[in-house]
Amino acid sequence: MCFIGKMGKTAEMGNETTVQEFILEGFPAVQHLGKFFFTLILLAYSVAFTGNTIIITLTWADYHLQIPMYFFLSNFSFLENCFITTAIPKLLLIFLWGMQKISFLGCLIQAFFFLFWGSTGSLLLAVMSLDRYIAICNPLRYPSIMTRKVCFLLVIFCYVASFFVVVGIILKVSMLSFCGSNVIKHFLCDLTPLTHLSCSDTKFFESLVFALAILVLVSSLIITIIAYTNIIIKIVNLPSIKERQKAFSTCSSHFIVLCLLYGSSVFIYLKPNQAKTFDTNREAALVNTVVTPLLNPFIYTLRNKQVKQALRNVLYRIKLARWIH
């Protein structure tokens, strides 16, 4: 590994120059509009973080929402907050003050958490799909299958599986040599632009990352597709129009989130010739880290009667408490 502990851009090691810090390129084409994009992204980040926090609070404050579907949703909202907090603050600093430098260690830490929260979220979405499948296709057995213990173990599995996959990847990255350019063509330390800077042979590593991406993304996507195919068949065959509308309303919001998240993730990590598509990867990552998290709270609250009712109940209790005091 070419990393040396003290701070600085590069260090001489014999005749070889080693990289000790990287420069995140960000979006150079619009950097002159930095303050405008800083304000826009800060607003989106604040709304997304607040919206997810409200969902988490409502889930634990209202007993009507203390069921598996909302247990998973609150965990997903927590993951979304962690995911955007890993990437967005550094992007804001780039736009506002041009603070593009990041240490080697800092880059590895950001890459780890970005991949960890993202892959955990993907697995959790697959679990949420299974939850909806059992609820709609096997409603009588649903309470006995999706017990509190099973829900807890499924969430733990998502975290543990993602941890072991991602920590292995980051350890491999830490052993690569970086002795050329230190400019990462991205606004965060993602794997593809980072490994592209390595002067080591990365063919095996790239194949490994691709295989693990297939393992996490494609496996969870297949589970989701199978679950929703069966859900759609079940909904279409329901005798009552009212029943069909009710079943569809509980799944439509989840389905929209799935399309947004899986669409951008598959585009970034599962396409050939990655080195030639850094610009489009940046844009897709921006959708993943800004647009999708911003829409999620609105999709889950505005399209969900139970969440809206829980929000009204909490607001009513707050007003009542103020009136009493």
Side-chain angles (χ1 to χ4, degrees):
M1 183 174 70
C2 287
F3 172 60
I4 301 175
K6 66 177 184 178
M7 293 298 295
K9 182 176 179 180
T10 59
E12 294 295 331
M13 194 172 180
N15 293 326
E16 188 181 64
T17 302
T18 62
V19 173
Q20 295 194 55
E21 66 180 24
F22 296 102
I23 296 188
L24 297 170
E25 191 176 60
F27 295 91
V30 295
Q31 187 61 39
H32 63 287
L33 300 172
K35 290 183 179 179
F36 169 75
F37 282 102
F38 168 83
T39 305
L40 191 66
I41 292 173
L42 178 61
L43 179 63
Y45 173 73
S46 301
V47 171
F49 194 93
T50 303
N52 283 317
T53 303
I54 288 172
I55 290 175
I56 295 168
T57 305
L58 288 176
T59 302
W60 294 102
D62 194 302
Y63 72 93
H64 293 103
L65 300 183
Q66 292 175 7
I67 58 176
M69 175 181 173
Y70 296 106
F71 172 72
F72 294 132
L73 176 57
S74 65
N75 275 277
F76 183 72
S77 296
F78 169 76
L79 287 171
E80 284 284 89
N81 275 353
C82 294
F83 182 69
I84 60 178
T85 302
T86 300
I88 298 303
K90 184 62 179 176
L91 179 58
L92 293 173
L93 292 176
I94 292 173
F95 274 128
L96 186 61
W97 289 308
M99 296 176 64
Q100 297 171 287
K101 292 182 180 179
I102 185 169
S103 68
F104 187 94
L105 180 60
C107 193
L108 289 182
I109 291 172
Q110 187 187 49
F112 170 79
F113 282 108
F114 182 74
L115 292 172
F116 173 66
W117 301 126
S119 57
T120 305
S122 296
L123 292 174
L124 187 57
L125 281 173
V127 170
M128 292 168 73
S129 300
L130 285 175
D131 173 68
R132 291 299 83 209
Y133 162 73
I134 297 170
I136 292 172
C137 298
N138 295 282
L140 297 178
R141 297 182 60 195
Y142 180 74
S144 61
I145 295 174
M146 299 303 290
T147 62
R148 182 172 294 185
K149 181 180 178 181
V150 169
C151 294
F152 180 78
L153 289 175
L154 285 170
V155 171
I156 292 297
F157 168 77
C158 294
Y159 280 94
V160 173
S162 296
F163 176 81
F164 282 109
V165 169
V166 174
V167 79
I169 292 173
I170 297 302
L171 286 174
K172 285 287 185 181
V173 173
S174 70
M175 292 185 284
L176 297 175
S177 297
F178 294 90
C179 47
S181 171
N182 70 331
V183 179
I184 298 176
K185 295 182 180 297
H186 211 300
F187 63 88
L188 57 85
C189 291
D190 203 2
L191 284 181
T192 301
L194 181 59
T195 55
H196 182 66
L197 299 179
S198 175
C199 48
S200 303
D201 184 0
T202 60
K203 289 182 180 178
F204 172 76
F205 177 77
E206 289 171 0
S207 300
L208 175 64
V209 170
F210 187 78
L212 291 174
I214 289 176
L215 178 66
V216 174
L217 276 176
V218 176
S219 61
S220 56
L221 183 59
I222 289 172
I223 291 171
T224 301
I225 290 172
I226 292 172
Y228 268 93
T229 300
N230 284 279
I231 287 171
I232 291 169
I233 293 170
K234 179 69 174 181
I235 291 174
V236 169
N237 290 327
L238 287 174
S240 168
I241 295 176
K242 189 175 181 179
E243 286 180 340
R244 287 200 294 268
Q245 289 176 338
K246 183 180 178 182
F248 181 76
S249 67
T250 60
C251 296
S252 57
S253 57
H254 185 213
F255 188 72
I256 293 169
V257 173
L258 288 170
C259 292
L260 288 169
L261 186 118
Y262 281 125
S264 55
S265 298
V266 168
F267 181 81
I268 294 170
Y269 297 107
L270 295 179
K271 66 179 189 297
N273 300 321
Q274 290 273 354
K276 299 178 182 179
T277 56
F278 289 145
D279 289 335
T280 51
N281 277 4
R282 258 184 290 207
E283 293 160 4
L286 195 65
V287 171
N288 237 359
T289 54
V290 178
V291 179
T292 305
L294 175 63
L295 294 176
N296 285 350
F298 293 102
I299 291 170
Y300 280 119
T301 55
L302 296 180
R303 296 179 60 85
N304 192 299
K305 292 179 181 179
Q306 285 179 290
V307 174
K308 286 191 287 185
Q309 184 59 49
L311 182 59
R312 283 193 289 266
N313 292 342
V314 170
L315 293 175
Y316 174 76
R317 288 201 295 267
I318 291 172
K319 288 180 180 179
L320 186 62
R322 287 180 178 177
W323 182 77
I324 292 173
H325 293 289

